[in-house]
Every structure is written in structure tokens, then in C-alpha cells.
Amino acid sequence: MANTRKPIVAGNWKMNGSLALLKTFIEEIGSSEQLETVLCVPSPYLSAAGRGEYILGAQDCSSFESGAHTGDTAVSMLKELGVEYVIVGHSERRQDHNESNELVANKVQTVLNAGLTPILCCGEPLEIREKGTFKEYVLEQLAAVKNVCGVSFLDNTVIAYEPIWAIGTGKTASPEQAQEVHEFIRSNLVSWNEAGQNTRILYGGSVNAGNAEQLFAQKDIDGGLIGGASLKIEDFTVIINTAKQ
Ligand code: 13P
């Protein structure tokens, strides 16, 4: 890692995996002083996943604290299960569930209110990348959170830059493309609040055992949010070990 911020390698299983696979991860993934390893499993597995040595993460939560919201999960319930990180605003939720920037911002606030850490996702679709307005697009996503939560959200939030065109496509952003956006995000965060210097910014999108090293070597990349490769224990272990270097 090219900076002093503690790296994070977070696995996002999405709607994949099984209890049998989880058992392997509980047995084989250890904790480390050098980085934070986070495993974000589907919510039905959170209870069983709490037995592992990694840090437990959830993939989403409700923006409400409790009440008549059938099928949703309150952040207080996640906390009871030992969850510390909650992915918020993943592009798949923005797409599948029409989550707006404002709803995402409300979820960030709900997670922060509970004393947990949001992993706030941002990132542009292919047409925005091709149009060249991807920086403005990402900034708008982050500014919506600043407007609702205030700049202090930076003290306790992890940001994940995940260009949608790189998710699950095998088409990773090059280390230079990723660093360009991470640097842009960092300079905006710092212009809002000096605390932005310490905010971890993860890269996500087709990170694998072969490309992690180059990505993690970039100055403003503080680790990864890993989808497909987090379902394979060997690959996930290589990525974790890469982040320790
Ligand atoms: P992939 O690593 O499968 O591209 O997924 C990235 C992602 O969306 C993680 O949240």
C-alpha cells in the first residue's frame, strides 16, 4: 500500500454463496493487524457468519430505524448480529431498486446514527464514462450525502469507487483510470473537510488475484470491494495478502 491509511479488503458476496461455502471462510480467513478484512454476506447468513475472525459486513439496510417496512432490515438488527460495516448505495441496488442519491444519503445517516460504518458506493455507467462526464457524476453522488449528513460523515465512512462498466464484466479500470478518479474524489473530500485525507477509498470492479497488486499500489486506493473473487477462498486470500504488502 502506498499510504498510511489502514487498508480494507471487503468481500461482497452479493446474492451468492451457501452455508457450506461460509463454513470454509469461517475456518480459513483470519484477522490481521495490517489490514481490515470485511465479509459482506447475504443477510440470511449474517447470523452464522458472525463466528468468523473477519469483520462482519451487511450489503444494505433500511433508511428507517424500525416500523412497517416488510422485508427490510433495520440497522439495529444488523448491529445485534455483530455487523460493523454496511454497504450503502451499491450500483445494483440503485438499479434493481431505484435507489436515488437522496435515499442513499438517508441510509448513510441511519448507519452512522447506529455507530456503524457505511461503505458508500459510487461509480458511473458506461455511457457516462464514454461521454467523459464521469467525475461530475461521481461527485454528484457524493455531494448528495454531504448535503444530507454534513461533512462530518467523512470521519466514519468508507467510500468505494465502483465504475459500473467494470463490475462483473472482467473489464477492470486500469490502475491509472482508477487512481485518476480516486485522486479526484480525495481532493474533493479534503476541500470539504481535512478529515477527507484519512477517509479510505476502495476500488471495486473485477478486482482479482492477478490485478490487485497494481491497483492497490496507487496512492489513493486504500483497498478493494471484491465481488466475484470474494467467493473463491484462494483468490480472496491472495487479494488479502496483496493488501498487506
Ligand atoms: P466484481 O468484483 O464481481 O466485479 O464486483 C464488484 C462489486 O460490485 C463489489 O461490490
Side-chain angles (χ1 to χ4, degrees):
M1 284 288 163
N3 61 61
T4 56
R5 292 174 291 271
K6 193 168 198 173
I8 299 178
V9 171
N12 174 12
W13 276 15
K14 309 190 178 184
M15 201 173 70
N16 296 300
S18 63
L19 283 176
L21 184 69
L22 180 60
K23 189 165 177 286
T24 320
F25 277 65
I26 291 171
E27 284 163 4
E28 296 194 23
I29 304 286
S31 61
S32 164
E33 286 293 303
Q34 291 151 277
L35 87 164
E36 294 183 39
T37 303
V38 182
L39 196 61
C40 303
V41 296
S43 52
Y45 297 157
L46 281 169
S47 187
R51 287 184 288 119
E53 281 185 34
Y54 43 75
I55 299 168
L56 192 57
Q59 298 177 8
D60 179 47
C61 68
S62 173
S63 64
F64 298 103
E65 302 207 338
S66 65
H69 306 287
T70 302
D72 284 350
T73 305
V75 78
S76 60
M77 299 166 186
L78 299 176
K79 197 172 173 176
E80 283 182 299
L81 295 178
V83 167
E84 294 180 43
Y85 283 95
V86 184
I87 298 175
V88 176
H90 193 281
S91 58
E92 287 149 17
R93 292 213 56 92
R94 292 179 190 260
Q95 280 168 353
D96 293 357
H97 299 274
N98 286 320
E99 292 198 3
S100 65
N101 283 345
E102 289 65 35
L103 177 66
V104 170
N106 289 333
K107 288 189 177 191
V108 169
Q109 189 61 62
T110 306
V111 174
L112 289 171
N113 288 348
L116 305 189
T117 304
I119 300 178
L120 167 62
C121 297
C122 59
E124 78 285 359
L126 183 60
E127 61 271 22
I128 298 289
R129 167 61 59 167
E130 285 174 344
K131 224 166 93 184
T133 53
F134 49 96
K135 288 184 181 168
E136 292 85 340
Y137 186 93
V138 166
L139 186 56
E140 198 176 315
Q141 290 179 319
L142 298 177
V145 176
K146 179 187 68 137
N147 293 342
V148 168
C149 305
V151 291
S152 64
F153 86 96
L154 293 176
D155 294 337
N156 262 318
T157 297
V158 172
I159 289 173
Y161 171 59
E162 300 205 306
I164 298 172
W165 47 272
I167 295 178
T169 56
K171 194 177 170 198
T172 332
S174 69
E176 296 73 25
Q177 280 176 318
Q179 168 58 22
E180 181 191 6
V181 179
H182 280 235
E183 189 173 6
F184 170 77
I185 293 173
R186 168 106 38 229
S187 67
N188 278 281
L189 301 186
V190 171
S191 78
W192 295 343
N193 189 327
E194 204 34 50
Q197 203 60 256
N198 300 319
T199 302
R200 270 100 40 105
I201 309 176
L202 313 182
Y203 169 76
S206 297
V207 178
N208 59 39
N211 61 23
E213 187 173 353
Q214 274 202 314
L215 286 161
F216 294 172
Q218 303 303 309
K219 185 164 73 64
D220 291 294
I221 298 185
D222 305 316
L225 183 54
I226 323 295
S230 74
L231 288 154
K232 300 176 203 126
I233 190 103
E234 299 81 10
D235 293 14
F236 195 50
T237 305
V238 170
I239 296 169
I240 291 167
N241 290 335
T242 304
K244 287 181 187 168
Q245 287 158 18

